[in-house]
Amino acid sequence: MTVSLEEAKNRLRRFAEVEAAGVSPLYQHLAERAAEDDDVAALLTAAQPGFETATLLFAAIHRAVQAEPFHELVNYYPSMGGSYGVDAAIWPLFRQFVVERAEKIRALVAAHTTQTNEVRRAALLYPAVSLAAKQAGAPIGLLEVGCSAGLLLNLDRYGYRYQTEQSGQIVVGPAKTPLGLHCALELGPEAALPSIPKKLAVAERVGLDRAPVDLGDEDAAAWLEACIWADQPERQRLFSTAAALQRKSPPQFVEGDAIADLEKAAALIPTTVPLVVITSHVLPYLSEDDRADFVAAVAALAGTRPLWWVSDEVYTVGLRHVLPDREDLVPVPGQPAFSVVGLTRWDGGVPTSAALARAAMHGERMVWLV
């Protein structure tokens, strides 16, 4: 057991209140009920250390539902064609399904980690990576740490439509692309509308992950689909399109540790190519000490070659390490969770960092801050 039953229930409760509220009516409702149910919540205690999240439990249950496409519960899963909304019948049906398959779901929880490939986050990263490329003045090499299937490494191959109040819709990216992403772009106080280039030149792509995902493996691909919230079929569609694009031209993958193998992964990109390291919702899975060590490892690497770090992380686990004392980047009680898009580079070991934007957790909107 990695976490106690009470801690598992607390995490489900917090997930319902902070992450799913206003975003996923299905998961919010189920998490609220699961947080009060010992039998369902106890399944989360089987998770590997550091991965005891509500999203992992719901991914395992989603995978179990995928395996039984004619079960009545499918009616409540839009990802599988269901059209029922949350009602009084869903929790008893859901609970019965889970309890009857408890051992199967427990095994899924124990064997997997959450590897959400949220391709919409590419819309958050694109302006920041473009800014790094502009500063570099040359085609860049992308190194994504915690890449899973590496879908964000193709961010230059996607199309983007940023909806703004000031200039209407800003359209960037290749004219002919199978994947278009939409993102609402607001301006914070005294912020200027960012100049987002239509094209981004990427010379190399490398992904580092403790367990990179081969999208040619049907079971592995099915697990990634299960990690996408069941009542958000648009996310499923975007994932499928991005996965098909990635299969045509996959990046290089390195199986390894975010800290110990960072230099090894970076070595696959020639030192003559400016390196942009990207992380997106990865650092919460590291311990506090490991987060500090990771940032130190990136800083050490920056001492050997031109390097920029583009981060899309919650402030307290990410940018705080290089840009401290920014309480304005932390949600106040009752405010929905958000991440911070940051850009950092080092000069003589000293970091220069900017908080570029506050961003929705799944990439659908951001508030530009500079």
Side-chain angles (χ1 to χ4, degrees), residues 158-360:
Y158 305 149
Y160 304 94
R161 294 179 181 271
Y162 295 96
Q163 191 63 45
T164 72
E165 182 179 347
Q166 294 77 14
S167 299
Q169 196 170 80
I170 300 173
V171 181
V172 300
K176 295 182 179 180
T177 175
L179 183 62
L181 300 172
H182 293 255
C183 181
L185 176 57
E186 305 173 34
L187 294 185
E190 301 182 8
L193 196 67
S195 176
I196 307 175
K198 289 190 175 294
K199 295 182 179 180
L200 173 65
V202 176
E204 304 283 348
R205 308 164 206 271
V206 175
L208 171 62
D209 198 283
R210 64 197 297 269
V213 178
D214 176 8
L215 289 172
D217 183 322
E218 291 186 4
D219 286 340
W223 173 252
L224 294 187
E225 290 183 357
C227 287
I228 299 171
W229 298 3
D231 58 350
Q232 298 179 348
E234 176 64 9
R235 291 175 64 194
Q236 296 272 352
R237 183 190 69 79
L238 293 173
F239 167 78
S240 297
T241 304
L245 182 62
Q246 194 259 37
R247 290 187 186 101
K248 294 179 180 179
S249 181
Q252 299 182 80
F253 286 119
V254 175
E255 181 177 349
D257 180 77
I259 302 166
D261 296 299
L262 181 66
E263 185 176 355
K264 173 185 175 182
L268 294 176
I269 299 175
T271 55
T272 54
V273 177
L275 178 62
V276 178
V277 176
I278 58 177
T279 64
S280 179
H281 294 260
V282 170
L283 299 186
Y285 294 103
L286 302 182
S287 69
E288 180 59 33
D289 287 344
D290 283 347
R291 292 169 198 154
D293 289 345
F294 170 74
V295 175
V298 176
L301 192 58
T304 66
R305 60 186 301 168
L307 181 151
W308 289 256
W309 175 33
V310 173
S311 55
D312 172 28
E313 306 282 354
V314 172
Y315 171 75
T316 52
V317 303
L319 208 59
R320 180 180 63 84
H321 293 278
V322 289
L323 189 66
D325 303 322
R326 287 291 301 272
E327 296 306 312
D328 59 306
L329 300 177
V330 180
V332 299
Q335 184 180 13
F338 60 81
S339 63
V340 178
V341 179
L343 177 61
T344 303
R345 68 170 305 179
W346 284 261
D347 184 10
V350 179
T352 299
S353 301
L356 300 180
R358 291 196 307 269

Side-chain angles (χ1 to χ4, degrees), residues 58-218:
F58 284 114
I61 297 169
H62 195 181
R63 185 71 186 96
V65 176
Q66 287 175 338
E68 300 186 41
F70 300 107
H71 193 279
E72 187 179 357
L73 187 57
V74 169
N75 291 323
Y76 293 92
Y77 274 59
S79 62
M80 300 181 67
S83 59
Y84 291 11
V86 172
D87 59 23
I90 184 175
W91 172 250
L93 182 64
F94 177 86
R95 186 185 189 281
Q96 180 182 18
F97 179 90
V98 171
V99 171
E100 288 178 353
R101 296 156 184 80
E103 289 309 308
K104 176 181 180 179
I105 293 170
R106 182 183 294 275
L108 287 167
V109 169
H112 291 84
T113 59
T114 305
Q115 289 186 293
T116 303
N117 281 258
E118 182 50 78
V119 68
R120 289 187 300 180
R121 291 176 183 149
L124 308 176
L125 296 170
Y126 185 87
V129 173
S130 297
L131 183 56
K134 181 180 179 180
Q135 293 175 5
I140 59 171
L142 287 177
L143 168 57
E144 183 185 3
V145 178
C147 64
S148 189
L151 301 185
L152 295 179
L153 288 167
N154 279 330
L155 58 81
D156 60 309
R157 294 169 172 163
Y158 305 149
Y160 304 94
R161 294 179 181 271
Y162 295 96
Q163 191 63 45
T164 72
E165 182 179 347
Q166 294 77 14
S167 299
Q169 196 170 80
I170 300 173
V171 181
V172 300
K176 295 182 179 180
T177 175
L179 183 62
L181 300 172
H182 293 255
C183 181
L185 176 57
E186 305 173 34
L187 294 185
E190 301 182 8
L193 196 67
S195 176
I196 307 175
K198 289 190 175 294
K199 295 182 179 180
L200 173 65
V202 176
E204 304 283 348
R205 308 164 206 271
V206 175
L208 171 62
D209 198 283
R210 64 197 297 269
V213 178
D214 176 8
L215 289 172
D217 183 322
E218 291 186 4

